[in-house]
Amino acid sequence: MSNPQPSAPPRNEPEFAVPAYAVGDYDPTESTINTAQSNSDLDANSDNKVRDSVIGGAAVVGGVAGLVIAGPILGLVGAVGAGVLATQSNKAGDVARASGDVVVAAGDRAKKIDKKHHVVDKTKNATKSALQSAKKFDEKHQVGQKMSNGLKGLADKIRPKKK
Protein backbone atom coordinates (compact mmCIF):
# COMPACT_ATOMS: atom_id res chain seq x y z
CA MET A 1 0.00 0.00 0.00
CA SER A 2 1.47 3.30 -1.04
CA ASN A 3 0.54 6.70 0.28
CA PRO A 4 -0.37 9.10 -2.49
CA GLN A 5 1.60 12.34 -2.35
CA PRO A 6 -0.54 15.41 -1.63
CA SER A 7 -0.78 17.75 -4.57
CA ALA A 8 0.72 21.18 -4.30
CA PRO A 9 -1.69 23.99 -3.48
CA PRO A 10 -2.54 26.29 -6.40
CA ARG A 11 -0.13 29.19 -6.80
CA ASN A 12 -1.47 32.65 -6.24
CA GLU A 13 -0.20 35.04 -8.85
CA PRO A 14 1.07 38.47 -7.67
CA GLU A 15 -1.32 41.37 -7.89
CA PHE A 16 1.18 43.61 -9.65
CA ALA A 17 2.53 43.29 -13.15
CA VAL A 18 6.25 43.11 -13.72
CA PRO A 19 7.25 43.90 -17.29
CA ALA A 20 8.93 41.05 -19.13
CA TYR A 21 11.80 41.87 -21.47
CA ALA A 22 13.44 39.75 -24.07
CA VAL A 23 17.22 39.73 -24.12
CA GLY A 24 18.58 42.94 -25.59
CA ASP A 25 15.26 44.73 -26.14
CA TYR A 26 15.08 46.81 -22.96
CA ASP A 27 13.79 50.25 -23.74
CA PRO A 28 13.52 52.62 -20.78
CA THR A 29 10.66 54.50 -22.47
CA GLU A 30 8.56 51.33 -22.18
CA SER A 31 9.11 51.18 -18.44
CA THR A 32 6.11 50.92 -16.13
CA ILE A 33 7.06 54.21 -14.53
CA ASN A 34 6.32 56.54 -17.41
CA THR A 35 3.19 55.13 -19.03
CA ALA A 36 1.50 58.52 -18.96
CA GLN A 37 3.83 59.82 -21.67
CA SER A 38 4.13 58.64 -25.23
CA ASN A 39 7.54 57.62 -26.54
CA SER A 40 7.61 60.59 -28.91
CA ASP A 41 7.13 63.02 -26.00
CA LEU A 42 10.29 61.87 -24.25
CA ASP A 43 13.63 63.44 -25.02
CA ALA A 44 17.07 61.88 -24.52
CA ASN A 45 17.47 63.48 -21.07
CA SER A 46 14.19 61.98 -19.90
CA ASP A 47 15.26 58.56 -21.23
CA ASN A 48 18.44 58.77 -19.17
CA LYS A 49 16.52 59.75 -16.03
CA VAL A 50 14.16 56.80 -16.42
CA ARG A 51 17.04 54.42 -17.10
CA ASP A 52 18.97 55.77 -14.10
CA SER A 53 15.87 55.38 -11.91
CA VAL A 54 15.45 51.76 -12.96
CA ILE A 55 19.14 51.04 -12.36
CA GLY A 56 18.89 52.77 -8.97
CA GLY A 57 15.81 50.70 -8.14
CA ALA A 58 17.69 47.52 -9.05
CA ALA A 59 20.55 48.64 -6.80
CA VAL A 60 18.11 49.16 -3.93
CA VAL A 61 16.74 45.63 -4.37
CA GLY A 62 20.25 44.15 -4.49
CA GLY A 63 21.37 46.17 -1.48
CA VAL A 64 18.40 45.22 0.66
CA ALA A 65 18.73 41.56 -0.31
CA GLY A 66 22.43 41.53 0.55
CA LEU A 67 21.82 43.39 3.81
CA VAL A 68 19.11 40.96 4.91
CA ILE A 69 21.10 37.87 3.93
CA ALA A 70 24.57 38.74 5.17
CA GLY A 71 24.87 42.23 6.61
CA PRO A 72 26.02 45.69 5.53
CA ILE A 73 29.16 44.72 3.58
CA LEU A 74 27.32 42.24 1.37
CA GLY A 75 24.46 44.74 1.17
CA LEU A 76 26.80 47.26 -0.43
CA VAL A 77 28.21 44.61 -2.76
CA GLY A 78 24.68 43.53 -3.69
CA ALA A 79 23.65 47.11 -4.44
CA VAL A 80 26.62 47.74 -6.71
CA GLY A 81 26.28 44.34 -8.36
CA ALA A 82 22.56 44.72 -9.07
CA GLY A 83 23.09 48.25 -10.41
CA VAL A 84 25.79 47.06 -12.78
CA LEU A 85 23.76 44.00 -13.71
CA ALA A 86 20.82 46.21 -14.70
CA THR A 87 22.96 47.71 -17.47
CA GLN A 88 23.64 44.31 -19.06
CA SER A 89 21.70 42.99 -22.07
CA ASN A 90 21.05 39.46 -20.82
CA LYS A 91 18.46 37.57 -18.78
CA ALA A 92 20.04 38.60 -15.47
CA GLY A 93 19.99 42.22 -16.59
CA ASP A 94 16.33 41.83 -17.54
CA VAL A 95 15.52 40.56 -14.06
CA ALA A 96 17.49 43.39 -12.43
CA ARG A 97 15.70 46.00 -14.56
CA ALA A 98 12.31 44.46 -13.82
CA SER A 99 13.04 44.61 -10.09
CA GLY A 100 14.16 48.20 -10.55
CA ASP A 101 10.88 48.97 -12.32
CA VAL A 102 8.96 47.54 -9.37
CA VAL A 103 10.91 49.69 -6.90
CA VAL A 104 10.42 52.84 -8.97
CA ALA A 105 6.70 52.11 -9.41
CA ALA A 106 6.38 51.56 -5.65
CA GLY A 107 8.15 54.87 -5.05
CA ASP A 108 5.81 56.64 -7.44
CA ARG A 109 2.83 55.07 -5.69
CA ALA A 110 4.17 56.18 -2.31
CA LYS A 111 4.56 59.74 -3.63
CA LYS A 112 0.94 59.73 -4.83
CA ILE A 113 -0.26 58.45 -1.46
CA ASP A 114 1.80 61.10 0.34
CA LYS A 115 0.49 63.82 -1.93
CA LYS A 116 -3.09 62.75 -1.20
CA HIS A 117 -2.79 61.99 2.52
CA HIS A 118 0.27 64.09 3.57
CA VAL A 119 1.87 61.09 5.29
CA VAL A 120 5.35 62.63 5.50
CA ASP A 121 4.10 65.87 7.05
CA LYS A 122 1.92 64.00 9.55
CA THR A 123 4.83 61.73 10.48
CA LYS A 124 7.15 64.72 10.96
CA ASN A 125 4.60 66.48 13.14
CA ALA A 126 3.91 63.36 15.23
CA THR A 127 7.64 62.76 15.71
CA LYS A 128 8.24 66.38 16.68
CA SER A 129 5.36 66.23 19.16
CA ALA A 130 6.61 62.94 20.66
CA LEU A 131 10.12 64.36 21.08
CA GLN A 132 8.78 67.49 22.74
CA SER A 133 6.67 65.38 25.10
CA ALA A 134 9.66 63.18 25.95
CA LYS A 135 11.79 66.26 26.60
CA LYS A 136 9.13 67.74 28.92
CA PHE A 137 8.78 64.39 30.72
CA ASP A 138 12.56 64.21 31.18
CA GLU A 139 12.71 67.78 32.49
CA LYS A 140 9.93 67.03 34.97
CA HIS A 141 11.13 63.61 36.16
CA GLN A 142 14.90 63.85 35.51
CA VAL A 143 14.90 60.44 33.77
CA GLY A 144 18.16 61.08 31.92
CA GLN A 145 19.97 62.17 35.07
CA LYS A 146 18.61 59.23 37.07
CA MET A 147 19.70 56.79 34.34
CA SER A 148 23.14 58.36 34.26
CA ASN A 149 23.51 58.15 38.05
CA GLY A 150 22.27 54.54 38.05
CA LEU A 151 24.71 53.49 35.34
CA LYS A 152 27.55 55.29 37.11
CA GLY A 153 26.70 53.47 40.35
CA LEU A 154 26.56 50.14 38.51
CA ALA A 155 29.94 50.83 36.89
CA ASP A 156 31.42 51.64 40.31
CA LYS A 157 30.19 48.30 41.69
CA ILE A 158 31.53 46.35 38.72
CA ARG A 159 34.89 48.12 38.53
CA PRO A 160 37.67 46.30 40.41
CA LYS A 161 38.70 48.06 43.60
CA LYS A 162 42.27 49.36 43.92
CA LYS A 163 44.27 48.00 46.82
Side-chain angles (χ1 to χ4, degrees), residues 72-91:
I73 301 296
L74 207 56
L76 182 62
V77 171
V80 171
V84 170
L85 197 59
T87 65
Q88 305 299 310
S89 295
N90 56 27
K91 289 283 186 190

Side-chain angles (χ1 to χ4, degrees), residues 42-65:
L42 297 173
D43 61 359
N45 191 22
S46 178
D47 288 348
N48 289 336
K49 285 181 184 177
V50 170
R51 186 169 188 271
D52 290 347
S53 295
V54 171
I55 291 170
V60 167
V61 170
V64 169

Side-chain angles (χ1 to χ4, degrees), residues 113-162:
I113 290 170
D114 180 53
K115 189 173 183 178
K116 183 177 179 180
H117 299 286
H118 308 288
V119 175
V120 172
D121 291 335
K122 290 177 182 177
T123 303
K124 283 181 187 177
N125 292 337
T127 303
K128 187 176 181 180
S129 175
L131 289 173
Q132 287 174 344
S133 295
K135 186 176 179 182
K136 286 179 183 177
F137 185 84
D138 182 52
E139 288 172 355
K140 182 177 180 181
H141 299 285
Q142 301 296 317
V143 175
Q145 187 64 39
K146 290 176 183 176
M147 287 292 293
S148 176
N149 291 342
L151 291 173
K152 192 182 293 183
L154 179 63
D156 289 342
K157 288 180 182 180
I158 294 174
R159 190 177 304 128
K161 307 228 188 246
K162 294 183 182 179

Side-chain angles (χ1 to χ4, degrees), residues 9-18:
R11 289 181 50 192
N12 293 330
E13 296 299 323
E15 294 181 14
F16 58 88
V18 177

